[in-house]
């Protein structure tokens, strides 16, 4: 296999300032890519990452993905930086509790927020990316879903599991319908990953208890997930388009 080389290519990574997103940005830059780092609110983390990887290789773009207008602006900003985007990595997401016992308005508001960030924003960016890729001769989409998208989650996270399952269906549909346009689409389905998003779960369950859920005996790192994203983004496995790669340490996923 040829060495991975992103020279001359531009990659948009949503939720790119921390966790899986930041690990992906680091790898893309190492391999020569120009990376648009989307972040929601943590300016300090975004600035620190820019200083780490080098200002010439990345472009910061703040956008609130709960807003359809800011999501559109994010895509437009990403394209305008280098004149094109070659790879979209939909990584941004939230994992928030919403027990059934909440009042209906709050419960529905929780669903709307989770679906908006985890699924609708990703779909909106995929829509723009597919149109763009058809004009530029092809491209790659990578949608970071979750093990919960295949097996469900607990009752307090109904909305999370539903949003992540929707992301996998979105990805599969694009792969099937757009392959003729040289557009590749891949899903990633990690179990728990050691990121800020799961700190509360680690605090509640304990890291050892979480590790025991996986036959490998540990929880995945952001770098492991980024390894798979980087490989798929390289274009080295075009016939794998439409597939979802499980990163669940040999745990059951269905």
């Amino acid at each position: 296999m040829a060495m991975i080389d992103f020279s001359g290519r531009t990659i948009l990574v949503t939720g790119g300032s921390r966790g899986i997103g930041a690990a992906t940005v680091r790898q893309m830059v190492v391999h020569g890519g120009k990376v648009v780092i989307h972040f929601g609110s943590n300016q300090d983390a975004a600035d620190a990452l820019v200083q780490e990887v080098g200002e010439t290789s990345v472009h910061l773009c703040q956008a609130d993905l709960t807003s359809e207008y800011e999501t559109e602006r994010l895509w437009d900003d990403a394209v305008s930086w280098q004149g094109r985007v070659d790879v979209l990595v939909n990584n941004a997401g939230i994992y928030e509790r919403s027990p059934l016992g909440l009042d209906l308005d709050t419960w529905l508001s929780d669903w709307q927020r989770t679906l908006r960030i985890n699924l609708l924003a990703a779909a909106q960016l995929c829509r723009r990316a597919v149109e763009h890729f058809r004009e530029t001769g092809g491209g790659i989409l990578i949608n970071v879903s979750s093990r919960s998208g295949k097996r469900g989650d607990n009752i307090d996270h109904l909305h999370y599991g539903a949003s992540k399952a929707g992301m996998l269906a979105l990805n599969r549909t694009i792969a099937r319908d757009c392959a003729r346009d040289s557009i590749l689409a891949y899903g990633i389905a990690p179990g728990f990953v050691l990121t800020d998003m799961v700190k509360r779960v680690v605090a509640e369950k304990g890291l050892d208890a979480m590790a025991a859920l996986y036959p490998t005996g540990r929880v995945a790192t952001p770098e492991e997930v980024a390894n798979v994203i980087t490989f798929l983004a390289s274009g080295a496995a075009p016939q794998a388009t439409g597939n979802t790669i499980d990163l669940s340490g040999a745990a059951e996923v269905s």
Side-chain angles (χ1 to χ4, degrees), residues 6-223:
F6 290 112
S7 298
R9 300 173 72 192
T10 304
I11 305 102
L12 168 58
V13 180
T14 69
S17 64
R18 296 182 293 174
I20 293 169
T24 300
V25 170
R26 292 184 184 101
Q27 293 197 24
M28 299 291 190
V29 170
V30 165
H31 292 294
K34 298 285 189 181
V35 186
V36 179
I37 304 172
H38 158 261
F39 70 100
S41 58
N42 195 328
Q43 182 79 52
D44 290 342
D47 288 341
L49 183 58
V50 171
Q51 292 303 309
E52 177 188 340
V53 301
E55 294 182 4
T56 60
S57 298
V58 295
H59 172 67
L60 279 184
C61 186
Q62 188 280 331
D64 178 2
L65 297 185
T66 65
S67 164
E68 60 267 34
Y69 304 106
E70 292 202 20
T71 304
E72 287 292 298
R73 176 179 58 77
L74 168 61
W75 179 262
D76 290 336
D77 192 357
V79 172
S80 66
W81 180 44
Q82 297 291 321
R84 62 183 291 142
V85 168
D86 301 284
V87 180
L88 167 63
V89 180
N90 275 318
N91 166 71
I94 57 172
Y95 184 73
E96 299 174 343
R97 292 180 70 248
S98 188
L100 298 182
L102 293 173
D103 65 88
L104 179 60
D105 286 346
T106 301
W107 191 78
L108 289 174
S109 178
D110 289 346
W111 268 79
Q112 289 166 356
R113 172 174 159 79
T114 291
L115 288 174
R116 174 62 223 170
I117 294 174
N118 290 6
L119 180 58
L120 293 178
Q124 194 174 337
L125 290 170
C126 282
R127 171 180 173 269
R128 295 297 303 277
V130 167
E131 293 175 333
H132 180 71
F133 293 160
R134 281 174 170 162
E135 294 173 355
T136 59
I140 296 175
L141 298 165
I142 298 174
N143 290 297
V144 182
S145 178
S146 167
R147 182 187 181 206
S148 297
K150 299 185 113 182
R151 68 184 291 274
D153 210 297
N154 62 59
I155 200 70
D156 289 348
H157 292 92
L158 279 174
H159 52 347
Y160 179 79
S163 69
K164 291 300 188 177
M167 180 178 266
L168 292 178
L170 164 77
N171 189 78
R172 181 65 175 170
T173 302
I174 292 170
R176 292 181 63 184
D177 200 66
C178 299
R180 65 178 68 90
D181 298 312
S182 299
I183 297 171
L184 308 176
Y186 305 96
I188 307 287
F192 281 119
V193 183
L194 291 174
T195 65
D196 289 344
M197 194 170 77
V198 300
K199 277 184 176 178
R200 180 186 56 78
V201 183
V202 173
E204 290 177 358
K205 296 180 179 291
L207 187 57
D208 289 343
M210 290 174 64
L213 298 172
Y214 304 99
T216 54
R218 63 181 182 82
V219 177
T221 66
E223 290 71 25

